[in-house]
Amino acid sequence: MTTPLRGGKTAPRLLQDLGLYNPQQLPKSGYNILTEVALQFEGTQLPPKVDERSCQHRWGLKLGQSNLPKFVSRPNETSEYTAAAYCTECRCHLQLMIDYRNQLPGIIPCPNKEFPLHHFIHDAKSEGVYQATRGKGESWVDKRYFRCSSSTCSARLTVRVHSPKLRLSWVALLTDRSLIKERAQKVIDAEPARFEGHAVPAPVGILVNLRTYILNATTDLELRPIKSNNKKWLLSLGEPCADLLEYIGFTRQDEEWLPPCPDISQIKPFTDPLRVLLDDVDKELLVLISQQPEDERRMAKPYSIPSLAMHDVERILGCQGYKRYPASRTIDLTQEEEHPFYAGLGAKSDFHDELLSFAYDRQIVCDPPNAPYYFECLQGIADGRKSEDLQTKQAIEASSGKISLGDVREAYKAFGLEYPSNELSDETIIGNFHSRISDAPKQEPELRTALRNIGESRSSAKIQYIASNSVTTYEQALEFLDASKELDDGFLITMYNLKVNENSTDQELARKAIFLIAEKRNSAALKTWLETGELGEVVMDVGQAYARLGIDDRTIDDDVILQTYNILASDAPSQISDLKRALTAIAKSKDSRYLRSFLSSGSITSEQPTGDWPVGLENIGNTCYLNSLLQFYFTVKPLRELVLNFDEHRMQVEDFSPGKKRVGSRNVSKKEVERAQRFIYELQRLFQNMITTPYAQVTPEQELARLTLISSDSEEFIRRQSVLGGHRLSLGEINGQAVQGPVLPYSASIGGNDVDISKGSSRTDANGHSTDRDDDTSSEATLVGTPVADLPAQKLKDSGPMNTDFRQSQQQEGLLEDKENLPPYKVEETHTSTPESKLHFLGEPSSSRVTEQMTTSSTRPTISGEPGDSLMANKDPSNLPLPPDRPPPVPPRQKPDEQKTAIQEEVEYGAQQDVTEVIANVLFQLQCAIKPESADESGEQIDKVKRLFFGKQKSYTTNEQGASRTKEEYISDIKIDVASGPRDIYAALDGAFDVQEVEVGGTMEPQYTTISQLPPVLQILVQRVQFDAKKKTAFKSTHHLDFKETIYLDRYMDSVDSELLQRRQECWKWKKDLAALEARKAELATTEIGVDIPGALAATMEYMKQMAGDGNLNLVEIAPELLESVKQAAHDAKSELTILNEKIKHLSSNITSQFTDLRTVPYRLHSVFIHRGMVSSGHYWIYIYDFVKNIWRKYNDGYVTEVRDTKEIYEPEQSTRPATPYFLVYVKDELKNKLVDAVCRDVIEMPSQAPQDIAMADDDAGSAAMYNWAGAIEDGTIHEATGTWDNSHQGGNPAQW
């Protein structure tokens, strides 16, 4: 596609396009003739610029609503003009308002000598709107904004077009002869004697009569009422027209109609709404009269002829009498209508050459990317007119390097490429060039010219310097070698060899590039290579080292640096030596014992005692978020005990029947219960391993990752994709980039407006699951579940696996934020400290992994549909049953490798799910797997998970009649956002509970929310992903959230205490006032030049003083009173800002202190989930507080470290892409020691010597080790640490929490 034109329009062109503008009837192409410059003309027929039904407006002036300039005056800094008009054909209305009040004193606005016309740019920042409304009166209104592109002209133009006041049904009552005859005949038939001799009135008579009533109402001070039985009234209007009459201001009083009573004392322009309405209706009646047959118009009373408005409209836009081209010299390029080239320049075909040259210059300045098209327009008009002046202008532009769009098309054609070619890369075009000149060396000059034109049109420096056949700068040298600044000298020689091998003719330029780089870096190694051909010793400086690893922030922790190194090394093993040099340089610069330890031994061992320190969880690919979530759940004592003792709580599925179990406001199927129980058994195995392992970290199984990250809905979708398509399911894309890691939740705040985000979507329940399923086959019937639907701007494609060839430039640019973008990998023998430890992609578990993952799988019951226990594979074959006498039918199934790959893909797919979906999936499965304790009135299951994580909120909505209604629902988290800027935790929570307007049945009603029941474990989700409505892209808000160690939730509780509600209402009013004050402050504190209004005015005054006092300049004569006015304006603006700041400070203080005395419901901060990165990628970790040792720990995948300085948790990080909290967990203060426990270990030490069966084969040895470990658990050798949960709460009322 061609680039849209972003230039402007001269004032005459804008008026010409306005004459064809109908916002209700845009053409099928969607082209807006008023706001868009033009469609690019490429020598073929353009689509229609307007709809064929559109009116070609002829504007009549509404003098009473206009504020026109005096004929001899020029606009200044106090000028503001308005021209009001109406179409004499379609009756629509137009208002043009031009404002010069920001004009600098003493500077002449357009038109002037340099700018003979206004050149208007559509102002996209204050985009107007088209609104259609129902009911009487206006049915649509369209408002657009423009500004003059001159830097010395402050003109701001507003164009407002709206529909006729008289609806079509009313026009029919006044002009449809059949309707008139019908109602008149009824009147005559009702009283034939009284109306004897009266004829049915003609439409002209009715229109004239109504207009007379309106004119009398707007001119007479004393108006007489009209009797309802007045003959003329009854025949012309009467009761059938009552709706129309009341709309224009007539009122009924007993048996009389009272005429409208507008304010007729006002001077023009009218501002009284009724006066404006009557003036509009009067003008529309004139139009309707003019459309009646001429013979009827002659017989009626004389009526006013519409006064055309174009003369006055041109006057307020400063284009009256503009310089035109002599008609005798005009050559029509199309023989029928104006050529599109004129519209491309924002000009008219009658422009003089000087104005066309001016229009061309303005388009080039305002829209540089489309300069080739504007130059083509100039060429076409110059050739068509055969104008010497324009041809001279064209030649001057060409000599300065300008090219036309035709030149660009020819350039692409020379290489056999199609134009436009937005999908072609620079490398493809350059490769095509090299191929052509090798085949046709004699054509090299012409081909280089064509290449230069392409480079110019694409603004590609790389193509341009290839075309110029020269490399002269350090940047060009890197570009030529396809290298980046962070590559070290050794890798640059590799890039040199690749370049020369591709094209031997580039050898000289490539050596010159190496020379320039050597000089810039002062590299002895490269200089040695240039002299001897042998590369000297390569030393990487610390800047290159950080750049090589793609790290921008040098203050990040050593463990993050090491993780980044491991990811790069696993993806590109051939570059490990280069990466190790970078890590060595960083370790040396930081004097890091941690990194030096890794470089010397190949691993990091825990510095903490194994028995009283939590274990880390190894990242198996895209699972850092999963690891954080699992660490959090492990520290919740009641949940951990439930998982470890699951058999006591397990839901019996043997006699399960549909409709028996209800979770998340819907019935749960048997298949979902079985799946949930598999999930808990996998979680149980991990928790047991975390308690008993002697190592610093353990590895979650992929099956656990799959069941955690993927809901049953998503699993069904993936399964059907694998059946329906022959390709593997990719992770998809957002904005063209692969989605990696869990997607942060989208905020319900659009455009910076806070809305209620605690209520959830109408199609999901509090658990985040669909509510439209209630039978045992529901999961089979659902192809795409909620998780897929909730991925905005994402496309799931049937493509190959995630591209593991994710190489240099992308890694170095964003790998720190994109840690999760690689396939799962593992470090074998993670518990050892040997230099031989190497990274491998996931394959079959090794014996060491089996040993490390010692579990109790042999002790758990088998669930229907569950994969067989891996231990069974090593049992004695003699104990196996005999084979059947005939083979069973072979079902279609995946091969083992394909099954393993499918699981891995599902884990990768699950890693991209919304954070809220993953948490909701975990809670949902926990509830599905366990038996209920009771049920509420709706049949919803009540259980330990429900009582632990779920609370209730109650919303209050008030209608127009003052009646209030309430709704209570479960919530598992409170959603807050920081879209509008930094805020503290209370301000963010207010956004979820404060009063706001919600749409109910087409009307807006106030609604506020309270908490009717608090959960013991309170989860707060920070919705950081916002949506830019203009750019149509998602982005991550990194504004700081100031959260507290303890929060008090009294203010949000549902209460019968009227004083609490009064406090909240008072606070809501303060916030509304504060928003108005801050908006005004923003107007005074923000300008286009980066200073506030007082500063800008003060600078203007100083500049004016210099101009007035400098005899050499003396550009303008500045009156002393003008300087004094600017000085006073600066003082007034500064004073207003001071007052605003004081009021804002006072209100903010009131809001902050409104509830500080309410401290009876305290909650303590337990954990903080952190994300660093972008919308669709990044790295996650978690901080968890230990209430026993009173310390914070950082859980970063496999590494658990103590936080020495809590500033890294609570204070904002100073970097371009800071790490930000996105999920907070608070626990009820009085129960915190019962609810959470950061450390739960009962370590089983490994034998000091090898076991007796060391000679067994690898598989048997691994299995034996697993059996020995499981047997220890069965024998009671291993004791589970379960905490001290008070079971007396199990059957209690949730309110007891």
Side-chain angles (χ1 to χ4, degrees), residues 651 656-669 673 765 767 771-774 924 927-928 932 934-943 946:
M651 174 78 183
F656 186 91
S657 59
K660 182 177 180 180
K661 188 179 184 71
R662 190 170 181 84
V663 175
S665 303
R666 70 173 177 84
N667 290 340
V668 176
S669 69
V673 173
D765 54 40
N767 289 321
T771 60
D772 59 1
R773 309 192 303 169
D774 57 5
F924 177 75
Q927 287 192 270
C928 286
S934 60
D936 65 11
E937 60 277 4
S938 68
E940 180 76 11
Q941 172 173 308
I942 304 299
D943 51 49
K946 198 79 167 183

Side-chain angles (χ1 to χ4, degrees), residues 553-564:
D553 182 7
R554 300 190 185 187
T555 64
I556 62 174
D557 296 340
D558 290 350
D559 57 343
V560 178
I561 295 174
L562 183 57
Q563 290 162 13
T564 305

Side-chain angles (χ1 to χ4, degrees), residues 64 205 229 251 315 347 365 394 599 652 655 682 738 774 784 939 983 1032 1139 1197 1227 1239 1278:
N229 62 354
T251 55
R315 197 151 58 87
V365 170
Q394 169 194 339
L599 288 166
Q652 299 299 320
D655 56 348
E682 290 293 339
D774 57 5
V784 182
R983 56 176 60 180
K1032 307 297 182 186
I1139 295 172
D1197 286 337
V1227 295
V1239 181
I1278 298 176

Side-chain angles (χ1 to χ4, degrees), residues 49 106 148 173 191 287 304 349 404 490 567 683 731 826 836 1031 1065 1160 1180:
K49 294 187 292 185
C148 183
L173 286 172
E191 299 181 82
V287 174
S304 302
S349 59
S404 72
I567 293 169
L683 189 61
L731 288 182
K826 67 176 184 176
E836 291 77 15
K1031 296 181 179 179
Q1065 290 172 338
T1160 62
Y1180 303 78

Side-chain angles (χ1 to χ4, degrees), residues 150-418:
S150 169
S151 59
T152 60
C153 180
S154 69
R156 296 291 187 271
L157 175 66
T158 302
V159 179
R160 184 175 183 269
V161 186
H162 65 80
S163 62
K165 301 292 185 178
L166 296 178
R167 296 161 57 190
L168 292 177
S169 59
W170 293 338
V171 172
L173 286 172
L174 299 175
T175 61
D176 189 308
R177 295 178 187 275
S178 61
L179 293 177
I180 295 171
K181 182 178 180 180
E182 181 182 350
R183 72 169 180 267
Q185 196 62 51
K186 284 184 180 180
V187 172
I188 295 171
D189 292 345
E191 299 181 82
R194 184 173 179 230
F195 287 93
E196 184 177 359
H198 286 77
V200 175
V204 167
I206 295 174
L207 295 169
V208 170
N209 287 343
L210 180 56
R211 186 164 183 265
T212 302
Y213 290 130
I214 291 175
L215 290 176
N216 290 339
T218 57
T219 55
D220 292 349
L221 295 176
E222 295 183 6
L223 293 173
R224 292 176 298 175
I226 305 167
K227 297 292 185 181
S228 297
N229 62 354
N230 179 285
K231 293 181 181 180
K232 182 190 296 184
W233 178 266
L234 286 173
L235 290 173
S236 298
L237 300 168
E239 191 63 30
C241 296
D243 199 24
L244 163 62
L245 295 170
E246 290 175 351
Y247 169 67
I248 61 177
F250 284 85
T251 55
R252 203 194 303 259
Q253 182 175 320
D254 298 330
E255 297 300 320
E256 297 177 331
W257 282 90
L258 301 181
C261 295
D263 183 359
I264 62 175
S265 64
Q266 289 186 337
I267 61 173
K268 298 175 182 178
F270 306 141
T271 57
D272 175 42
L274 182 56
R275 186 73 178 86
V276 172
L277 172 62
L278 291 174
D279 190 44
D280 287 347
V281 173
D282 174 63
K283 298 302 183 289
E284 292 186 35
L285 292 174
L286 272 178
V287 174
L288 294 174
I289 292 173
S290 69
Q291 294 172 349
Q292 301 308 308
E294 184 178 356
D295 56 339
E296 292 186 10
R297 294 202 309 270
R298 275 199 233 100
M299 296 175 61
K301 293 180 180 180
Y303 69 95
S304 302
I305 299 175
S307 174
L308 296 181
M310 191 54 67
H311 177 79
D312 295 292
V313 170
E314 287 180 341
R315 197 151 58 87
I316 74 165
L317 294 187
C319 61
Q320 183 182 9
Y322 61 85
K323 196 171 182 180
R324 288 172 167 82
Y325 191 73
S328 60
R329 293 177 55 196
T330 300
I331 297 177
D332 191 346
L333 298 180
T334 64
Q335 306 299 321
E336 294 180 359
E337 60 181 15
E338 180 186 74
H339 196 279
F341 284 162
Y342 288 103
L345 294 183
K348 290 180 61 179
S349 59
D350 64 353
F351 269 23
H352 191 276
D353 290 349
E354 292 178 6
L355 291 183
L356 284 172
S357 181
F358 161 76
Y360 165 78
D361 289 338
R362 295 314 302 159
Q363 298 293 63
I364 295 295
V365 170
C366 297
D367 187 17
N370 284 304
Y373 179 69
Y374 299 129
F375 186 50
E376 184 167 284
C377 292
L378 179 66
Q379 281 182 329
I381 295 173
D383 293 342
R385 285 190 173 188
K386 295 184 170 48
S387 164
E388 292 183 6
D389 290 341
L390 292 181
Q391 288 174 345
T392 301
K393 173 80 172 179
Q394 169 194 339
I396 293 173
E397 291 293 286
S399 66
S400 66
K402 294 288 194 308
I403 58 172
S404 72
L405 201 58
D407 296 331
V408 176
R409 292 192 193 97
E410 290 299 320
Y412 277 96
K413 187 177 179 181
F415 294 112
L417 303 174
E418 293 185 4

